[in-house]
Amino acid sequence: MCRLAAITSDKYFSPMENILALETMKEGHDGSGLGLTLKDLGGEFEKLKKYPTLSGICSKDGKKTLERLMKQHGFRLKNAWTPKLRQVKGVTPRGYYFAHVYDYPVAYKDKPLKEKEELLMNTRLMLRRTGESDGSIFAFSFYPDVITLKEVGDPLELGEFFGLDRDNLKARIVFAQGRQNTNYAIYLYACHPFFIQGYCSMTNGENTAFVPIREFLTGRGFCGYTGYNSDSEVFTHILHYTARQLGFPLHYYKDVITPLKLSEMDNRQDREALRLVKQSLRPLCIDGPNMVIGFTPDGTCFMVQDSKKLRPGVVGGVKGKYALMSEECGVDSAIPKRDRSKDIFPMKYDMVIIQPRAEEAKVWNQLQN
Amino acid sequence: MEPASKLDHNHRLSLKEFPYIIRWRDDRCKRCGTCTAVCPVKAIEPTVKVRRQVHSEGPLPAPATVRQVVQVVEQVIDMERYCTGCGACTLVCPNEAIEPEFNPNNKFLHYKNKGGDGYKRGGRRNDPSVSTLDRLKFTRISMLTDPALDAGRHEFRIRTLLGRILPPEEIPLKVINNKLSIDKESGKFIPPVREIYPIMIGSMSVGALSPPMWEGLAMGVAYLNEVEGMPVVMCSGEGGMPPRLLRSRYLKYFIIQIASGYFGWDEIIHAIPHMTEDPAAIEIKYGQGAKPGDGGLLMAQKVLKLIAKIRGVPQFVDLASPPTHQTKYSIEEAVAKMIQSMSMAWGFRVPVYPKISGTKTARAVLNNLARNPYAAALSIDGEDGGTGAAYNVSMDKMGHPIASNLRECYLDLVKQGKQNELPLIAAGGVGKKGNLAANAAALIMLGASAVSIGKYIMQSTADCFGDENNRCNLCNTGKCPRGITTQDPKLYRRLDADKVAERVVEVFKAADVELKKIFAPMGRSTELPIGMSDGLSIDDKAMADRLEISYAC
């Protein structure tokens, strides 16, 4: 089973906090990999927030191809970060791990964000297509103020491998997931967190409704709905589709993936709309067992369960710092000094939402207005 | 002088040519005559024979021959009175003295064309082989990577939608105070959609069915809805509905069918102003899986007073529905108009959808409907569907199997991203071998939103004798020995409507349990797994490729 560790804070912190939290939950995962997504970056990236950051891994040849392609598409390199790798037993370095900050092509400088987002996503997909067959380029995310790191191995060892304990790499939101996709083939593109145009999520559990959901998403005519090396990637795309493409407020994500029964909708003021949404998005209903942690472009974090609540999940913290974890011990590791009695275990109708800067954790309940 | 052909009986057929041979036991028969009286086709008759018997009496053998006249039950050697194998004789025999036996070497079809007309019958395709649906297996079992659900403990929502569903991008929504609401000023048409149980009772008309059979089904459906909370719907078939039912609150459980003969529609149209509920839907029948390209026929002997009244015709006349709607010119024009007209009759509050027979051209129909925002669904009836009357050649040789037809239609919708907008209803052979829930679940996972059943419900609720070895299949003659497809009171009084209703309820409740038993181990419970093709496998590579599912052996 995957173990998930997300922290959102009003201060920059090191992703090692997430990795150490994962370590406490080690009994629940097989230590087969690590996926890290950092948002709202600090350190050397703090002054580069408005520029898009491309995260990935290249081989030697892939690096040359990458540089050529980015130049060809008009992106100008502003800053290149690479982790300070340290040799660790059991981790085979792949080559060049990077987070490159680029300036937009001149023609896009004054374009609205939506158009910039299309450009960034298309560029990322282009890089993926170019480098996927020979494994020369892996491109995980390309978006302002976001970095993604992924590798196969034990999370704690990978933290050491990437030198995260010594690096000044910090962020206000960090998502970490401690396992490769062991249900299917181990593959970097199958490792969560998944990211698309500012929306990110990671999931615990297998998605039994994967195929109908994937077929629905690919039928939307949106080229970013691709990949699906993991059945968990659809959770990110559902989030993107409902919030960005359809423009629904965030909490409707819960109504889409775990819709209420018709009889349960009666108390909701928006029941008429909800009925239509349920019908039209019927194929996006998940059937569990899943727990999903995600963030949106503005930095709002959330946790939801499937309607049978067959996967663990807990949210706890203090004003200014909250942890969204698979297990209580993870929260203890990240935020030991808190009132544990106020920890939230979201139930089947709940969605825990934490606004940017982690002021407080609010529980939105589907049955209430 | 007698011609030689007559003397040696060369003009007669032998019993070996017949599909069923009666096994009658002289030693058990008490000559009560019940079997010969009950036989719906008079295939057996009492007769007398002169027999030479050897007798020996006394302590020492002293054989002597005696000529005796004995009464026997004999099978008639006349193709017009062939034994249909129904077994009504066996049922009534007090001594188990008589039984029809299927003769696989029969030459029935070589002779069943007297008068230059092809063999007509009711029932289903005579193909006892294992259908594709019965070869499909559910192979994606949740276990350790994802825990299986508990069919007895977890909550299951086995429901589906009937009606045109708007694509999410087209729902007229606006966000006010972080809440979604419908933008009523947009003027956008929001099509009617019903939440129903995914197994429907298919179209069988009042007229084709006897009064207790139709009533039994209708009562069972009403009970399922009102007491069991299962929104099962039933289609009227062509031929209208009882006038009181049209005006009752139970109408909402019925789909009213309109077919090429428009029988019953005068009564229906006149009842519209008095209707207290809308029907569940309107089905426009363009084709029937059992007899593609053939019209309907209700034979004169079935058109009694009630039927004549409901259908608005004189009594005792053959009621033929043409093979095609006479107003039909092209799919773009006529089908769209028909859907519009029907929608308009109920103020666009009722889903209207066409039913076609399984065919290679189904995708063309589908794509046309996909572009018509008023089309509420497409029902495809595969070759294993049943009928009350058709030519044998139509039933056995015409039509398309449902599995691949349904699958290609679904995948076509997937390509267009419209698989949730136009529900597909699959029919024809669901429960052919008794596996109702398994067949329904398999079709759902291939892409059906719902399935429709006919023969299965007749067999399971009223013990219809029919099978794929041409057993009985007398539905067209009005002589149904079970009282299911007859208007003859002497026959239909054998059937108890209450018992039929009870069985309908039992059948659906059992199917519900079985569906849960299928979905639970696959980890599905909250939404019907429409198109969950990764859950299916088949033991034939070519079939697997055609259906785009996995091959397992």
Side-chain angles (χ1 to χ4, degrees):
Chain A
M1 204 192 290
C2 303
R3 282 295 180 269
L4 313 176
I7 301 172
T8 171
S9 170
D10 60 351
K11 294 185 184 67
Y12 295 114
F13 61 93
S14 163
M16 276 312 287
E17 289 193 27
N18 298 62
I19 291 173
L20 290 170
L22 278 181
E23 185 63 15
T24 66
M25 298 187 263
K26 200 169 178 179
E27 277 180 19
H29 65 84
D30 59 4
S32 60
L34 174 70
L36 269 180
T37 300
L38 290 78
K39 182 180 168 60
D40 200 347
L41 305 170
E44 64 188 89
F45 293 93
E46 197 173 355
K47 288 178 184 160
L48 299 163
K49 281 181 182 289
K50 62 175 183 171
Y51 299 106
T53 307
L54 175 68
S55 309
I57 309 171
C58 296
S59 65
K60 255 188 187 174
D61 288 345
K63 187 166 181 269
K64 284 182 199 155
T65 315
L66 173 79
E67 282 164 2
R68 179 173 52 81
L69 287 172
M70 294 306 278
K71 209 170 171 185
Q72 243 176 34
H73 285 77
F75 286 99
R76 287 161 297 154
L77 189 65
K78 278 190 80 74
N79 186 47
W81 175 88
T82 56
K84 296 162 188 67
L85 297 184
R86 185 192 289 170
Q87 275 214 335
V88 172
K89 206 180 158 190
V91 182
T92 318
R94 280 175 205 264
Y96 182 66
Y97 299 83
F98 65 93
H100 284 178
V101 183
Y102 292 94
D103 199 355
Y104 288 104
V106 181
Y108 275 82
K109 273 215 147 164
D110 300 320
K111 291 264 169 80
L113 180 64
K114 277 219 161 180
E115 283 184 42
K116 284 180 178 166
E117 285 177 333
E118 297 299 300
L119 171 76
L120 297 177
M121 187 189 71
N122 290 334
T123 309
R124 175 175 62 82
L125 293 174
M126 178 269 296
L127 292 171
R128 177 177 175 155
R129 279 194 300 273
T130 308
E132 192 164 11
S133 57
D134 59 358
S136 60
I137 303 174
F138 285 93
F140 301 126
S141 62
F142 192 18
Y143 200 76
D145 212 15
V146 169
I147 287 179
T148 305
L149 283 172
K150 290 181 183 179
E151 191 44 280
V152 178
D154 179 80
L156 193 61
E157 288 172 4
L158 284 171
E160 214 177 309
F161 168 72
F162 285 127
L164 297 176
D165 47 343
R166 292 167 293 127
D167 201 302
N168 196 30
L169 186 64
K170 286 182 175 174
R172 284 200 179 101
I173 297 169
V174 179
F175 277 23
Q177 189 266 135
R179 183 204 197 196
Q180 275 294 324
N181 183 24
T182 42
N183 290 350
Y184 301 99
I186 289 185
Y187 186 46
L188 286 181
Y189 278 128
C191 174
H192 14 157
F194 296 104
F195 182 88
I196 184 167
Q197 294 187 327
Y199 295 87
C200 176
S201 79
M202 52 186 181
T203 315
N204 190 343
E206 193 165 355
N207 177 5
T208 49
F210 171 52
V211 168
I213 295 176
R214 182 190 65 194
E215 285 178 345
F216 184 82
L217 288 168
T218 49
R220 295 303 94 200
F222 183 78
C223 61
Y225 298 154
T226 180
Y228 304 120
N229 301 97
S230 159
D231 56 7
S232 291
E233 192 160 11
V234 297
F235 293 102
T236 318
H237 293 179
I238 297 172
L239 173 65
H240 174 271
Y241 180 61
T242 50
R244 183 184 190 268
Q245 304 299 89
L246 297 177
F248 292 177
L250 177 62
H251 60 271
Y252 285 97
Y253 180 63
K254 176 71 179 154
D255 283 319
V256 169
I257 60 172
T258 62
L260 292 174
K261 285 184 280 184
L262 292 181
S263 55
E264 292 171 327
M265 288 179 190
D266 289 342
N267 286 336
R268 292 273 296 266
Q269 276 175 9
D270 52 359
R271 55 188 169 271
E272 275 186 70
L274 216 49
R275 275 192 193 112
L276 292 182
V277 167
K278 180 183 175 175
Q279 288 173 3
S280 295
L281 296 173
R282 172 170 60 153
L284 297 185
C285 171
I286 65 166
D287 231 331
N290 299 118
M291 183 270 278
V292 186
I293 300 174
F295 70 69
T296 58
D298 72 347
T300 303
C301 294
F302 66 86
M303 178 188 282
V304 283
Q305 298 277 358
D306 72 85
S307 57
K308 290 175 287 287
K309 202 184 176 304
L310 286 168
R311 280 289 182 266
V314 55
V315 178
V318 293
K319 187 178 173 186
K321 191 171 189 180
Y322 276 90
L324 305 89
M325 305 271 173
S326 294
E327 292 180 40
E328 187 84 2
C329 55
V331 186
D332 288 346
S333 158
I335 309 164
K337 287 179 186 167
R338 70 184 197 285
D339 182 355
R340 288 185 62 167
S341 67
K342 288 188 177 156
D343 284 357
I344 302 162
F345 295 85
M347 301 308 283
K348 67 176 199 171
Y349 294 114
D350 297 338
M351 182 170 193
V352 183
I353 299 174
I354 304 165
Q355 296 297 330
R357 305 296 165 102
E359 191 74 9
E360 60 174 336
K362 282 184 182 167
V363 180
W364 178 80
N365 186 291
Q366 261 185 302
L367 295 174
Q368 291 163 5
N369 277 308
Chain B
M1 193 177 159
E2 290 279 354
S5 62
K6 206 162 182 187
L7 286 176
D8 60 13
H9 301 300
N10 198 42
H11 64 289
R12 293 176 68 189
L13 296 172
S14 83
L15 267 182
K16 296 222 170 202
E17 266 64 73
F18 284 75
Y20 285 89
I21 299 171
I22 292 289
R23 302 292 173 207
W24 173 74
R25 290 180 61 177
D26 193 355
D27 57 332
R28 281 180 171 261
C29 179
K30 66 171 191 177
R31 274 75 176 172
C32 64
T34 324
C35 57
T36 52
V38 82
C39 179
V41 285
K42 307 288 173 225
I44 44 174
E45 56 188 19
T47 186
V48 287
K49 297 226 159 166
V50 178
R51 278 190 190 156
R52 177 178 160 273
Q53 285 186 318
V54 179
H55 275 269
S56 176
E57 286 175 8
L60 292 172
T65 54
V66 184
R67 287 173 70 83
Q68 275 186 336
V69 173
V70 292
Q71 296 121 354
V72 296
V73 171
E74 197 175 53
Q75 184 168 358
V76 179
I77 302 192
D78 176 359
M79 253 331 155
E80 297 313 295
R81 288 163 64 188
Y82 70 99
C83 170
T84 65
C86 72
C89 51
T90 313
L91 277 183
V92 296
C93 179
N95 284 345
E96 295 168 15
I98 191 164
E99 188 179 23
E101 186 180 291
F102 179 61
N103 170 22
N105 301 317
N106 73 77
K107 292 192 202 136
F108 177 63
L109 293 179
H110 292 69
Y111 303 109
K112 191 71 178 105
N113 47 20
K114 267 247 170 115
D117 197 11
Y119 169 40
K120 281 179 281 198
R121 62 182 178 88
R124 81 286 332 281
R125 195 165 70 98
N126 284 326
D127 178 4
S129 63
V130 179
S131 68
T132 309
L133 294 184
D134 275 321
R135 294 179 69 170
L136 289 162
K137 305 268 184 249
F138 307 101
T139 47
R140 191 197 182 284
I141 310 300
S142 300
M143 219 169 300
L144 292 170
T145 55
D146 53 330
L149 304 173
D150 183 339
R153 185 166 62 93
H154 284 111
E155 187 180 6
F156 283 76
R157 288 186 226 167
I158 300 177
R159 298 286 184 269
T160 194
L161 300 175
L162 175 62
R164 186 56 173 256
I165 297 154
L166 286 178
E169 295 82 1
E170 289 180 23
I171 314 174
L173 292 174
K174 54 185 179 185
V175 181
I176 300 170
N177 296 332
N178 218 29
K179 281 190 185 118
L180 292 176
S181 62
I182 295 176
D183 183 2
K184 293 196 169 139
E185 285 161 20
S186 70
K188 171 93 188 163
F189 169 59
I190 299 173
V193 176
R194 309 278 194 255
E195 192 178 76
I196 62 165
Y197 195 74
I199 301 176
M200 311 155 57
I201 298 182
S203 40
M204 293 178 286
S205 70
V206 178
L209 298 186
S210 64
M213 185 65 204
W214 207 90
E215 266 173 47
L217 292 178
M219 285 193 291
V221 164
Y223 186 93
L224 282 166
N225 276 275
E226 306 218 332
V227 181
E228 298 293 339
M230 290 172 72
V232 176
V233 293
M234 162 178 165
C235 182
S236 69
E238 185 190 18
M241 287 174 62
R244 257 181 38 182
L245 188 53
L246 284 172
R247 291 162 176 79
S248 77
R249 67 185 173 89
Y250 303 107
L251 183 63
K252 61 187 170 202
Y253 310 136
F254 292 85
I255 294 167
I256 312 180
Q257 190 186 70
I258 182 162
S260 55
Y262 307 124
F263 292 118
W265 274 81
D266 190 48
E267 181 75 33
I268 293 167
I269 295 291
H270 282 97
I272 288 178
H274 309 287
M275 285 179 185
T276 52
E277 290 280 352
D278 289 327
I282 304 296
E283 179 177 279
I284 307 172
K285 178 191 161 189
Y286 288 105
Q288 190 173 343
K291 46 174 175 177
D294 231 351
L297 176 65
L298 190 69
M299 291 178 67
Q301 60 264 38
K302 287 176 110 174
V303 186
L304 300 183
K305 194 175 170 189
L306 173 71
I307 308 303
K309 183 173 183 314
I310 292 173
R311 296 197 175 203
V313 292
Q315 288 186 61
F316 304 113
V317 288
D318 276 342
L319 298 182
S321 302
T324 178
H325 288 250
Q326 300 302 297
T327 53
K328 194 163 66 190
Y329 173 66
S330 71
I331 180 166
E332 289 84 359
E333 182 224 351
V335 177
K337 272 188 187 166
M338 191 101 174
I339 291 173
Q340 288 270 30
S341 310
M342 286 293 124
S343 299
M344 206 180 294
W346 275 273
F348 292 89
R349 299 184 310 273
V350 177
V352 181
Y353 68 90
K355 171 187 161 185
I356 59 168
S357 52
T359 162
K360 281 184 178 177
T361 60
R363 280 164 66 196
V365 177
L366 177 81
N367 281 308
N368 190 275
L369 296 176
R371 291 190 288 271
N372 177 351
Y374 298 100
L378 174 63
S379 176
I380 306 173
D381 190 13
E383 63 168 354
D384 274 322
T387 179
Y391 278 95
N392 182 71
V393 68
S394 297
M395 294 171 82
D396 278 5
K397 301 297 173 196
M398 301 293 296
H400 198 298
I402 186 62
S404 63
N405 215 198
L406 179 272
R407 184 70 178 147
E408 64 190 0
C409 284
Y410 178 75
L411 290 175
D412 214 31
L413 288 174
V414 167
K415 256 187 222 155
Q416 302 173 52
K418 292 187 170 186
Q419 68 269 41
N420 188 49
E421 294 168 35
L422 192 71
L424 295 170
I425 302 164
V430 182
K432 184 178 176 179
K433 295 278 182 204
N435 303 310
L436 172 62
N439 291 171
L443 281 165
I444 287 165
M445 290 186 194
L446 288 175
S449 280
V451 301
S452 206
I453 54 169
K455 300 180 306 293
Y456 179 89
I457 202 79
M458 290 207 278
Q459 287 178 312
S460 56
T461 64
D463 315 316
C464 163
F465 287 128
D467 71 9
E468 285 74 27
N469 284 325
N470 204 27
R471 186 178 172 196
C472 194
N473 287 346
L474 290 169
C475 334
N476 60 320
T477 63
K479 291 178 184 165
C480 173
R482 285 295 203 191
I484 304 167
T485 57
T486 177
Q487 299 302 327
D488 182 349
K490 276 186 282 190
L491 291 173
Y492 73 61
R493 73 180 175 204
R494 294 174 181 176
L495 196 63
D496 181 342
D498 289 333
K499 288 231 163 68
V500 171
E502 266 177 51
R503 287 289 299 142
V504 169
V505 175
E506 285 175 351
V507 162
F508 273 90
K509 286 180 74 176
D512 196 54
V513 171
E514 287 194 350
L515 282 176
K516 288 175 190 171
K517 281 284 174 194
I518 295 168
F519 296 153
M522 304 181 85
R524 299 301 307 267
S525 67
T526 44
E527 194 56 72
L528 206 60
I530 298 169
M532 186 186 161
S533 52
D534 57 327
L536 288 175
S537 297
I538 198 162
D539 58 356
D540 181 288
K541 185 72 175 71
M543 285 180 174
D545 291 347
R546 180 80 175 88
L547 297 173
E548 298 189 27
I549 59 172
S550 64
Y551 163 65
C553 58

